[in-house]
């Protein structure tokens, strides 16, 4: 079964930076639209950023602060997060799908992994 593994989450102060990474040994990321999602307990999972052959897309609240990228040779998906705010605190997940729908991935084709936690304190 396909498994995506997220890493890089940490606790940081507001204004700090983190880079999250996603890897898989079963899935070739270059064949899919890839994205990052986040979830706060009690809320719906929301799309944060997406990358596909047509470009990169972000949800407005992270536009200009987050950068999504992927490296085909290493089969990795990264999310560089700058200017972190307390409201960015969440569990972050990656996913593969058919296409980007604004800052989210549509037609998700992978199971959710364990995620990686990000905590931003004042």
């Amino acid at each position: 079964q396909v498994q995506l593994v997220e890493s890089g989450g940490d606790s940081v102060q507001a204004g700090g930076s983190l880079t999250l990474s996603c890897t898989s040994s079963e899935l070739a990321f270059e064949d899919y639209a890839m994205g990052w999602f986040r979830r706060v307990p009690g809320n719906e999972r929301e799309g944060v950023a997406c990358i596909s052959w047509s470009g990169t897309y972000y949800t407005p609240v992270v536009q200009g602060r987050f950068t999504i990228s992927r490296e085909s040779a290493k089969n990795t998906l990264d999310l560089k997060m700058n200017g972190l705010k307390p409201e960015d605190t969440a569990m972050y997940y990656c996913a593969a799908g058919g296409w980007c729908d604004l800052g989210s991935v549509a037609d998700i084709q992978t199971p959710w992994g364990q995620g990686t936690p990000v905590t931003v304190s004042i």
Side-chain angles (χ1 to χ4, degrees):
Q1 182 174 347
V2 171
Q3 184 177 12
L4 302 182
V5 180
E6 302 92 349
S7 64
D10 205 344
S11 296
V12 298
Q13 290 190 321
S17 299
L18 282 175
T19 298
L20 308 183
S21 293
C22 172
T23 63
S24 175
S25 59
E26 301 94 356
L27 194 77
F29 288 0
E30 64 184 1
D31 293 340
Y32 297 85
M34 298 293 302
W36 285 94
F37 291 75
R38 65 188 182 187
R39 186 172 187 176
V40 175
N43 289 1
E44 295 286 327
R45 202 180 326 246
E46 64 170 348
V48 173
C50 185
I51 184 169
S52 71
W53 314 272
S54 62
T56 56
Y57 306 87
Y58 302 90
T59 192
V61 295
V62 307
Q63 180 78 50
R65 299 188 296 123
F66 290 11
T67 302
I68 189 172
S69 63
R70 60 181 169 184
E71 187 170 351
S72 298
K74 296 183 179 180
N75 204 41
T76 56
L77 176 75
D78 288 345
L79 183 69
K80 182 169 179 57
M81 307 185 293
N82 295 324
L84 282 162
K85 303 176 181 180
E87 50 264 44
D88 295 319
T89 296
M91 188 70 79
Y92 283 73
Y93 304 85
C94 59
W99 63 91
C100 292
D101 182 5
L102 300 179
S104 186
V105 176
D107 187 29
I108 294 174
Q109 299 174 29
T110 52
W112 295 109
Q114 295 295 314
T116 188
V118 172
T119 303
V120 185
S121 59
I122 296 174

